[in-house]
Amino acid sequence: MEFFDTHTHLPDDCTKEDAEKIILEAHDASVKSMLFAGTSLVDPATYLPLAASHADIYTSVGIHPEACSSFNESDALPRIREWLKSPRVVAIGEVGLDAHYTETSAEDQEMCLRAMLRLAAESNLPVVIHCREAFERCHAIIDECLPMDHPLHIHSFADGPRELDIWLKRNTCFSYNGMVTFKKAENIRETLRLVPLERLLLETDAPYLTPVPFRGQPNASKYIPLIAERIAQERNISIEEIADVTTQNARRFYRI
């Protein structure tokens, strides 16, 4: 089996040696490919060299909603355009809206999201979307800025069947993480059972959302098989099929 963690991060205090250990442990667990999702203008300094030194490591570049308060378009966009020249950068993201945390204003988040979506249209790259408790506005802005066939990856999908149906009208994939193993996450397992298999991806969102039975400890890509196992149970298919299909989906979606 071969797995692809389509959305992971390194801990804030991660050293180069720690990062190499995370990658090695993931490989030992059959997680052969990983995408480190950018959240700020700081991340590329770590993720680009890491991706450049590993054939199966990729990254995205973007501004997370919680980092939008310091976003300056005239400063940020030229820097991001330079990073996009790297063949290891396969997407814009993660970008979007988050109404759960209020440290960053809705206005700043929306301004930043629009700028990132314009860049995605310009570069013709897939977009990794972070959408938390903000579906209506997030979807509306994407409708304004991108054509229906532009590839979107809704990471850590946690909305309901209605939102799933609306996103499915677009060229959208959905990734699920350790939350599928949480006792009180039946709402997430409900949509997991409804997502077309060809739209399904795996993620950890490490170092957060560690799956059971390691919940409470830092998450890492090595736990992807635990997530895949629960997804296989919910879909009533083998873990081997989940591994094969989701890896193929990721490579097709990210044009790898």
Side-chain angles (χ1 to χ4, degrees), residues 133-150:
E133 299 174 18
F135 167 75
E136 300 295 345
R137 194 66 191 131
C138 187
H139 185 271
I141 292 172
I142 290 171
D143 264 354
E144 292 172 16
C145 297
L146 294 177
M148 291 294 288
D149 63 348
H150 197 101

Side-chain angles (χ1 to χ4, degrees), residues 65-66 68-69 96-99 101-112:
E66 293 178 45
C68 287
S69 59
L97 301 179
D98 192 317
Y101 295 107
T102 58
E103 287 82 356
T104 304
S105 71
E107 292 77 13
D108 284 344
Q109 289 189 30
E110 292 185 12
M111 177 271 294
C112 185

